[in-house]
């Protein structure tokens, strides 16, 4: 009685969709920024004492880690940098096309994408696909300025909580 279940570890792949900028510049966010988001997830989902995640919630016994093996069985950092031809993504159709082109098997990975939004999408922070949606686009999308806590993450959305909310 009162025992917590074993910790469930979820492998994450972060697809950093960029337009050829150097790593750490604009939408091609740095590895440290990605890691800062994983830290926030674990603080929030594990309700870690002494962190902003220690609130009135519960310890879900879920932990997130960047994937160590890609879909082909090769070692990976869990950060998938993809240079595409768009400086910004202005429509859901463009975002969905990028997701479909880059997704890893959603039954084995939690797919996340960072984008530079523009046009009609410019005010979007992020969104998640509802369960039961198309497998080809399953995952979570967020603006690169709302991902993690450092780098290009911009106040007031530099706390990593947009993605916690979406997940």
């Amino acid at each position: 009685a009162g025992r917590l279940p074993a910790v469930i570890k979820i492998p994450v792949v972060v697809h950093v969709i960029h337009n050829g900028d150097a790593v750490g510049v604009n939408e091609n966010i740095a590895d440290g920024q990605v890691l800062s988001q994983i830290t926030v997830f674990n603080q929030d989902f594990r309700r870690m004492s002494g962190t902003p995640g220690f609130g009135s919630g519960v310890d879900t016994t879920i932990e997130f880690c960047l994937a160590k093996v890609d879909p082909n069985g090769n070692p990976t950092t869990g950060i998938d940098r993809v240079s595409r031809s768009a400086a910004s993504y202005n429509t859901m159709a463009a975002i969905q096309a990028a997701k479909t082109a880059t997704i890893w098997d959603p039954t084995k990975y939690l797919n996340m994408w960072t984008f530079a939004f523009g046009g009609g999408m410019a005010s979007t922070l992020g969104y998640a696909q509802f369960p039961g949606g198309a497998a080809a686009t399953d995952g979570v999308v967020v603006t690169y300025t709302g991902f993690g806590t450092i780098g290009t993450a911009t106040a007031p959305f530099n706390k990593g909580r947009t993605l916690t909310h979406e997940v």
Side-chain angles (χ1 to χ4, degrees):
R3 292 186 48 179
L4 291 175
V7 173
I8 299 165
K9 294 190 183 243
I10 298 177
V12 174
V13 57
V14 178
H15 306 280
V16 178
I17 308 299
H18 65 91
N19 193 34
D21 285 322
V23 174
V25 177
N26 299 321
E27 75 288 346
N28 196 356
I29 62 175
D31 291 4
Q33 188 169 345
V34 172
L35 292 170
S36 75
Q37 181 63 65
I38 300 300
T39 297
V40 170
F41 275 147
N42 290 326
Q43 290 173 350
D44 290 350
F45 281 82
R46 292 303 312 272
R47 192 177 175 255
M48 291 182 171
S49 181
T51 74
F54 190 73
S56 59
V58 299
D59 178 355
T60 64
T61 67
I62 296 171
E63 288 182 5
F64 300 87
C65 58
L66 288 171
K68 304 266 186 252
V69 178
D70 75 9
N72 298 316
N74 298 313
T76 181
T77 63
I79 301 171
D80 178 37
R81 295 181 186 283
V82 182
S83 181
R84 294 180 60 92
S85 60
S88 65
Y89 287 76
N90 304 331
T91 66
M92 287 293 291
I95 292 167
Q96 296 294 75
K99 289 171 65 180
T100 300
T102 58
I103 194 167
W104 292 9
D105 183 345
T107 66
K108 296 179 179 167
Y109 304 93
L110 172 55
N111 285 269
M112 298 180 182
W113 289 267
T114 63
F115 285 93
F117 295 132
M121 299 293 296
S123 64
T124 303
L125 290 176
Y127 63 90
Q129 180 164 304
F130 286 108
T137 53
D138 189 35
V140 186
V141 171
V142 71
T143 179
Y144 76 97
T145 58
F147 193 94
T149 62
I150 61 173
T152 62
T154 307
F157 303 108
N158 62 339
K159 307 292 184 200
R161 294 305 175 318
T162 299
L163 241 350
T164 293
H165 166 80
E166 296 301 342
V167 170

